[in-house]
Amino acid sequence: MSPPSYCPHCGCIPNLYKHSKKEQLFMDLPMHRKRVGILVLRQRYKCRDCNRTFWELLADMDEKRAATKRLVKHIEKDSLRKTFVSISEDVGVDEKTIRNIFRDYINRLEETVRFETPKWLGLDEIHIIKPRCVITNIEERTLINLLPNRNKESVINYLYHLPNKERIQYVTMDMWQPYRDAVRTVLPKATIIIDKFHVVRMANQALETIRKDLRANLSTKERRGD
Ligand SMILES: [Zn+2]
């Protein structure tokens, strides 16, 4: 470890002397499914100019997490697909720290990921406690957003605030009238496409209703005569 090139407190070119040493533990990537910790005998310095102390810098360590930077990266990746408990057991970092690493990682991702308003938008429905509108990008087959409900007002409000909404040329939806009304209101130029699956289902239901009506109106004799 090389001595620091400046004092982090006053910024002076160092006029330092060695203060004390202390052992610090940093967790590292597991090896052969075994947890690995690195014990660093860390030098503390004192600055003669400002009289304050500081630790020697450790370029490969994440001080906040008491782990190597490469372990933090590894935890970030794992946290998207594994439970925090299982990661904690694998790497020997406590669950709360894993959760914090995950939270910071998600915040960073959200800063860089921008959902582009698609050319072809999908409005669908998902039932989570109650029916909610799901907004999708049909071409990319990605989820864009989930609304708190599927009311016309909510959909209008969402579409109205979409950046570059003039990009949207097609909107695919089921036969829920509020979706149609919302799109007509906010995106009058977009072509509405009714999902074939929903049309076929509605047609089948209509046929079934007619068949039942007809049957109900038949006399017993007619019913037997087929
Ligand atoms: Zn100083």
Side-chain angles (χ1 to χ4, degrees), residues 186-222:
V186 186
L187 309 165
K189 285 182 188 158
T191 305
I192 292 176
I193 298 163
I194 303 296
D195 201 328
K196 186 179 149 201
F197 165 78
H198 297 289
V199 178
V200 172
R201 195 178 55 180
M202 291 280 273
N204 279 335
Q205 279 168 359
L207 265 174
E208 188 65 9
T209 310
I210 295 168
R211 196 188 64 79
K212 279 181 185 157
D213 281 355
L214 284 173
R215 196 177 158 78
N217 291 329
L218 291 179
S219 65
T220 317
K221 192 175 167 236
E222 281 171 318

Side-chain angles (χ1 to χ4, degrees), residues 6-16 46-54:
Y6 63 93
C7 165
H9 301 300
C10 67
C12 69
I13 305 295
N15 187 8
L16 313 166
K46 189 161 190 174
C47 170
R48 286 201 176 88
D49 283 8
C50 68
N51 237 0
R52 291 161 82 181
T53 61
F54 57 92

Side-chain angles (χ1 to χ4, degrees), residues 102-112:
F102 169 76
R103 189 204 52 218
D104 287 359
Y105 183 48
I106 292 296
N107 288 342
R108 261 180 18 244
L109 284 180
E110 279 181 351
E111 274 170 26
T112 54

Side-chain angles (χ1 to χ4, degrees), residues 10-210:
C10 67
C12 69
I13 305 295
N15 187 8
L16 313 166
Y17 59 92
K18 288 181 178 175
H19 194 246
S20 56
K21 275 187 178 173
K22 196 187 165 192
E23 278 188 343
Q24 288 183 346
L25 178 67
F26 294 87
M27 294 310 288
D28 194 18
L29 289 176
M31 249 189 259
H32 305 295
R33 295 170 171 270
K34 291 235 159 57
R35 298 170 180 183
V36 175
I38 299 172
L39 208 52
V40 181
L41 188 60
R42 204 171 181 193
Q43 180 69 56
R44 199 162 176 81
Y45 292 92
K46 189 161 190 174
C47 170
R48 286 201 176 88
D49 283 8
C50 68
N51 237 0
R52 291 161 82 181
T53 61
F54 57 92
W55 292 108
E56 72 177 302
L57 296 172
L58 302 173
D60 297 321
M61 304 299 177
D62 185 322
E63 312 233 5
K64 203 168 142 196
R65 313 297 186 199
T68 58
K69 285 180 180 169
R70 62 182 186 179
L71 176 62
V72 173
K73 276 214 170 70
H74 172 83
I75 293 171
E76 287 175 349
K77 284 213 184 74
D78 269 5
S79 67
L80 296 179
R81 54 192 183 85
K82 289 188 186 170
T83 66
F84 298 158
V85 175
S86 76
I87 300 170
S88 172
E89 281 166 2
D90 289 347
V91 302
V93 172
D94 68 89
E95 199 194 326
K96 191 176 167 230
T97 305
I98 307 274
R99 205 181 312 133
N100 290 337
I101 291 172
F102 169 76
R103 189 204 52 218
D104 287 359
Y105 183 48
I106 292 296
N107 288 342
R108 261 180 18 244
L109 284 180
E110 279 181 351
E111 274 170 26
T112 54
V113 174
R114 286 279 169 270
F115 285 111
E116 198 182 20
T117 301
K119 200 171 82 182
W120 189 344
L121 193 81
L123 299 182
D124 218 313
E125 182 197 310
I126 191 167
H127 199 100
I128 302 176
I129 304 166
K130 58 182 178 176
R132 294 161 201 267
C133 176
V134 180
I135 318 274
T136 56
N137 180 334
I138 299 285
E139 280 176 304
E140 304 283 335
R141 294 168 174 271
T142 51
L143 178 74
I144 302 176
N145 216 323
L146 183 63
L147 303 189
N149 55 53
R150 55 170 188 165
N151 299 348
K152 182 174 149 185
E153 293 72 29
S154 303
V155 181
I156 285 180
N157 186 48
Y158 177 79
L159 293 176
Y160 185 77
H161 290 99
L162 259 186
N164 306 316
K165 54 181 174 294
E166 60 285 347
R167 263 181 64 89
I168 303 170
Q169 294 179 16
Y170 309 101
V171 184
T172 302
M173 63 179 70
D174 59 17
M175 298 178 85
W176 179 242
Q177 189 66 33
Y179 286 174
R180 175 183 283 264
D181 295 345
V183 172
R184 283 268 169 270
T185 309
V186 186
L187 309 165
K189 285 182 188 158
T191 305
I192 292 176
I193 298 163
I194 303 296
D195 201 328
K196 186 179 149 201
F197 165 78
H198 297 289
V199 178
V200 172
R201 195 178 55 180
M202 291 280 273
N204 279 335
Q205 279 168 359
L207 265 174
E208 188 65 9
T209 310
I210 295 168

